Amino acid sequence: MCQAAIEAGCRFFAGYPITPQNEVPEYMSSHLPEAGGIFIQAESELAAINMIFGASAAGVRCMTSSSSPGVSLKQEGISYIAAAELPCVIANMQRGGPGLGNIRASQGDYFQAVKGGGHGDYRIIVLAPSTLPEIYELTMAAFDYADHYRNPVLILGDGILGQMAEPIELKPYKPVVELPEKDYILDGCKGREPRIVKTLLLRPAEALVEFNEYLKVKYARIESELKLCEQYLTEDAELVVAAYGITARIAIDAIDAAREKGLKVGLIRPITLWPFPNEAFKEVVGRAKKFLVVEMSNGQFVDDVKLAIDCSRPVEFLGTGGGWYPTPEKIFEKIEAVYK
Amino acid sequence: MKFKKPESLYDRNTHYCPGCGHGIVHRIIGEVIDELGIREETIGTAPVGCAVLLYDYFNFDVIECAHGRPPAVATAMKRIHPDKIVFTYQGDGDLAAIGTAEMIHAANRGENFTTIFVNNAIYGMTGGQMAPTTLVGQRTTTTQKGRDLIKQGPPLKVCELLSSLDGVAYLERVAVSTAKDSMKAKKAIKKAFQNQIDGKGYSLVEVLSMCPTDWKLSPAQAVGFVNDEMKKVFKPGVYKDTDVK
Ligand SMILES: Cc1ncc(C[n+]2csc(CCOP(=O)(O)OP(=O)(O)O)c2C)c(N)n1
């Protein structure tokens, strides 16, 4: 993730230590300055995200990373950054919650990531990689989406992804979308009119209504343009498993085992959680008799799956909360039990 | 005495109440930035508080920050643009309550930006609640019998607090309650910006300022409150200056 960020031109990182993502600031603290960038260990996640607010307005590609309790603190800043339409990349290597929880892997922050988290009507792009090579690729792309849409992008990982080792094939960075010129940067008004970055819209009374209307259109555009999703053996699947991130990877083992037994099971793995790849679900809903949602929480992502298919098929659920992951055996058992 | 409007300020009426100190502080900052010839290099930050709209008055780049977070925002801006002039403009709620951590750590890191801290001993924008700098006995909407030393503690003295930090270059407390005070304030603010130009590190000027509306005093009485009450608790003077060995 760090290597990808640096290759994609990230030149500012601010963060605060929290397990299980300490490897990120530790790596950045030495490698980012070598690449001519700035690393700051902030006094809190609040300070870190507000440094990102400043860094983005100053015009550089910037990133912060944390894990669940720290990401809660960042929500204030994320709302401001979304409101100011500034690009940035935020990583959340989720751990068990609520509260201080534990330091094991979890997907309990789905609602916070996808439905808001901070105050106000805003959206952030949420990317959910399931392997290290995918983290590498999506981190690079995250900076591009952030710049392209002038919007925060969240990489939603978990404690397993955050601590795992896997070989990666390095690829030279190439933008995946067009990168507009940054005409909002604050760097002193020499030769131009002064610029203001602000989020307060008091007057006239309709100003904020109009701005929200504008954001609505922008978010609709993102929804129409950016949807990433992987399908696995869904062509003939009668049972479609839905899972994202590391859970999808575990589910694939269970699906392979089920196929060996002749069960027609497939997988839809959303890669963008917002925008949610509804179309992929609508596409298979004609063939699939049932869905099974697997996630490392006691039921968050499952809501979006039900919405995507308008509750037109039964949606079974296998969830584990509190920082625990479902084993391939558990998922296989559940597949057998619900496959009828 | 010249009365020409500084180029760093737009020719506009402000939204500040009659007798409020914010306008005077704006004027001083505008003059200083003009005199140093740095208007086109300057990036200001706006706080959450009565001065949130300061970008309507200042003729240079400004970023409006979340409540208390200007030091974090300014830290990033100055690190990325070390050749630009970055300053925070913060009230007592912004700097000494919700943003205490950001302020202390930016100061202690010795970030090379300038802070203008406007201490009016009250929360102006939200209608006169107790501030960390409210005087003992001072009535506010949340201390209706006056601030109680036992219940709410004594007022927070920012210059005294920061003077123990090795990272800080310059601290001075001034006022804008009399013409003489304002001249001193201007000298201090100019030095705080000059320090940044010279790369000396974190400089903060605390300005004792009037809030007649929320103090429920006339403008003239408010001047009296600064001179007779505030200056007793918040003693004007230089609290740290690394130039003086
Ligand atoms: C997170 C957050 N908490 C509270 C507020 C409400 N609020 C707005 S201004 C303010 C106090 C401002 O007082 P001060 O910093 O002393 O500045 P003044 O208005 O007196 O100049 C508060 C509490 C807010 N905007 N955001």
Side-chain angles (χ1 to χ4, degrees):
Chain A
M1 173 149 61
C2 300
Q3 195 53 40
I6 292 171
E7 277 174 48
C10 173
R11 289 298 175 268
F12 186 94
F13 181 99
Y16 186 83
I18 185 169
T19 308
Q21 62 81 57
N22 291 321
E23 292 75 3
V24 179
E26 283 166 6
Y27 187 96
M28 285 304 208
S29 70
S30 59
H31 288 76
L32 194 53
E34 280 167 18
I38 297 159
F39 167 88
I40 302 181
Q41 178 167 330
E43 58 272 27
S44 71
E45 289 84 355
L46 270 172
I49 193 68
N50 282 284
M51 287 175 186
I52 295 301
F53 182 56
S56 186
V60 302
R61 284 193 156 182
C62 52
M63 177 176 184
T64 181
S65 89
S66 189
S67 179
S68 309
V71 178
S72 290
L73 273 184
K74 288 188 197 292
Q75 294 303 327
E76 175 195 73
I78 295 173
S79 169
Y80 279 76
I81 295 170
E85 293 197 88
L86 292 173
C88 73
V89 174
I90 304 145
N92 179 3
M93 294 297 150
Q94 298 168 87
R95 60 186 248 179
L100 201 50
N102 60 19
I103 56 170
R104 301 181 59 93
S106 165
Q107 294 181 324
D109 303 347
Y110 182 90
F111 281 158
Q112 183 195 61
V114 173
K115 309 290 175 190
H119 60 285
D121 252 337
Y122 72 92
R123 293 289 190 175
I124 61 171
I125 296 165
V126 182
L127 306 175
S130 74
T131 64
L132 288 199
E134 198 177 31
I135 288 190
Y136 181 76
E137 256 173 54
L138 285 180
T139 301
M140 288 189 182
F143 285 95
D144 297 338
Y145 298 138
D147 279 343
H148 183 76
Y149 293 112
R150 284 189 58 178
N151 210 68
V153 176
L154 179 81
I155 300 171
L156 191 65
D158 61 74
I160 301 178
L161 280 172
Q163 311 232 293
M164 178 163 100
E166 215 177 344
I168 288 178
E169 196 191 325
L170 298 183
K171 287 184 207 147
Y173 163 71
K174 209 172 123 256
V176 294
V177 279
E178 183 208 328
L179 302 177
E181 205 189 316
K182 298 185 173 183
D183 56 5
Y184 54 84
I185 295 174
L186 303 188
D187 56 358
C189 62
K190 189 168 258 158
R192 59 165 173 79
E193 287 299 301
R195 288 177 182 153
I196 300 166
V197 170
K198 63 169 186 168
T199 63
L200 179 73
L201 292 171
L202 287 180
R203 276 182 289 267
E206 313 78 47
L208 190 57
V209 178
E210 278 164 22
F211 179 65
N212 273 273
E213 198 58 37
Y214 157 80
L215 283 181
K216 192 176 96 184
V217 173
K218 165 174 152 169
Y219 297 147
R221 186 181 130 226
I222 303 176
E223 283 189 297
S224 71
E225 293 175 357
L226 181 64
K227 274 178 193 179
L228 304 174
C229 177
E230 186 196 19
Q231 298 196 31
Y232 180 68
L233 305 179
T234 52
E235 300 80 16
D236 63 343
E238 293 184 7
L239 175 69
V240 172
V241 176
Y244 71 93
I246 195 74
T247 316
R249 200 167 166 183
I250 302 171
I252 284 179
D253 285 349
I255 290 167
D256 288 345
R259 283 275 169 180
E260 270 175 35
K261 290 218 159 176
L263 308 183
K264 291 183 176 170
V265 187
L267 172 80
I268 294 184
R269 177 176 73 89
I271 299 169
T272 51
L273 298 178
W274 191 86
F276 197 79
N278 294 310
E279 291 76 5
F281 287 90
K282 293 208 160 65
E283 201 184 298
V284 302
V285 86
R287 312 188 284 271
K289 294 196 177 109
K290 243 185 205 178
F291 288 79
L292 168 62
V293 172
V294 187
E295 61 179 311
M296 286 194 283
S297 103
N298 280 325
Q300 300 187 24
F301 166 66
V302 61
D303 287 7
D304 278 341
V305 175
K306 287 181 183 168
L307 280 174
I309 59 165
D310 290 330
C311 295
S312 60
R313 295 284 180 279
V315 176
E316 303 284 348
F317 181 70
L318 175 65
T320 50
W324 198 251
Y325 60 89
T327 59
E329 295 74 31
K330 260 262 160 66
I331 300 175
F332 176 74
E333 266 171 38
K334 186 79 181 177
I335 288 174
E336 275 202 311
V338 303
Y339 191 93
K340 294 248 164 61
Chain B
M1 220 178 184
K2 58 177 171 24
F3 280 99
K4 221 181 110 245
K5 173 195 75 67
E7 201 191 350
S8 295
L9 284 175
Y10 295 119
D11 200 358
R12 272 181 206 156
N13 292 333
T14 71
H15 69 287
Y16 298 117
C17 307
C20 167
H22 278 304
I24 305 170
V25 183
H26 285 17
R27 167 93 198 188
I28 293 173
I29 293 173
E31 287 178 5
V32 163
I33 288 177
D34 273 18
E35 286 168 23
L36 294 172
I38 52 173
R39 184 184 72 85
E40 293 180 327
E41 318 298 329
T42 296
I43 309 167
T45 68
V48 172
C50 284
V52 62
L53 295 174
L54 60 76
Y55 40 75
D56 283 351
Y57 314 126
F58 281 124
N59 181 14
F60 43 71
D61 283 3
V62 176
I63 181 165
E64 174 202 280
C65 308
H67 197 20
R69 318 294 171 227
V73 176
T75 292
M77 304 224 66
K78 183 68 186 184
R79 295 271 194 117
I80 290 164
H81 298 303
D83 52 335
K84 305 294 173 194
I85 302 303
V86 177
F87 75 95
T88 71
Y89 183 108
Q90 302 178 257
D92 39 63
D94 198 77
L95 179 136
I98 197 166
T100 316
E102 285 78 4
M103 176 266 295
I104 287 186
H105 285 276
N108 193 52
R109 286 191 301 263
E111 299 292 346
N112 188 30
F113 66 79
T114 304
T115 292
I116 309 302
F117 166 38
V118 180
N119 177 0
N120 60 10
I122 205 152
Y123 281 15
M125 195 194 205
T126 39
Q129 297 83 3
M130 182 187 73
T133 51
T134 293
L135 303 187
V136 171
Q138 186 184 335
R139 285 182 197 195
T140 70
T141 58
T142 50
T143 54
Q144 295 185 11
K145 291 182 181 155
R147 181 174 184 151
D148 182 328
L149 185 61
I150 305 301
K151 284 190 191 140
Q152 285 100 20
L156 197 81
K157 297 177 183 172
V158 169
C159 283
E160 287 83 339
L161 182 72
L162 291 186
S163 63
S164 69
L165 303 183
D166 291 340
V168 177
Y170 172 58
L171 296 166
E172 182 164 351
R173 184 181 288 130
V174 295
V176 286
S177 45
T178 68
K180 205 168 145 226
D181 280 305
S182 293
M183 307 252 280
K184 265 200 185 155
K186 181 168 171 185
K187 216 171 130 234
I189 288 174
K190 195 163 182 178
K191 182 176 163 74
F193 277 96
Q194 187 64 49
N195 279 354
Q196 183 179 162
I197 295 169
D198 298 340
K200 288 189 178 151
Y202 188 75
S203 297
L204 177 145
V205 177
E206 174 174 345
V207 185
L208 305 180
S209 180
M210 297 74 73
C211 180
T213 302
D214 285 320
W215 292 349
K216 306 205 171 21
L217 298 175
S218 71
Q221 288 169 322
V223 164
F225 184 77
V226 174
N227 290 336
D228 305 334
E229 308 294 335
M230 283 182 79
K231 282 181 187 174
K232 259 195 257 161
V233 178
F234 299 113
K235 297 206 168 56
V238 176
Y239 283 80
K240 182 157 186 193
D241 187 352
T242 46
D243 284 346
V244 184
K245 295 274 146 61

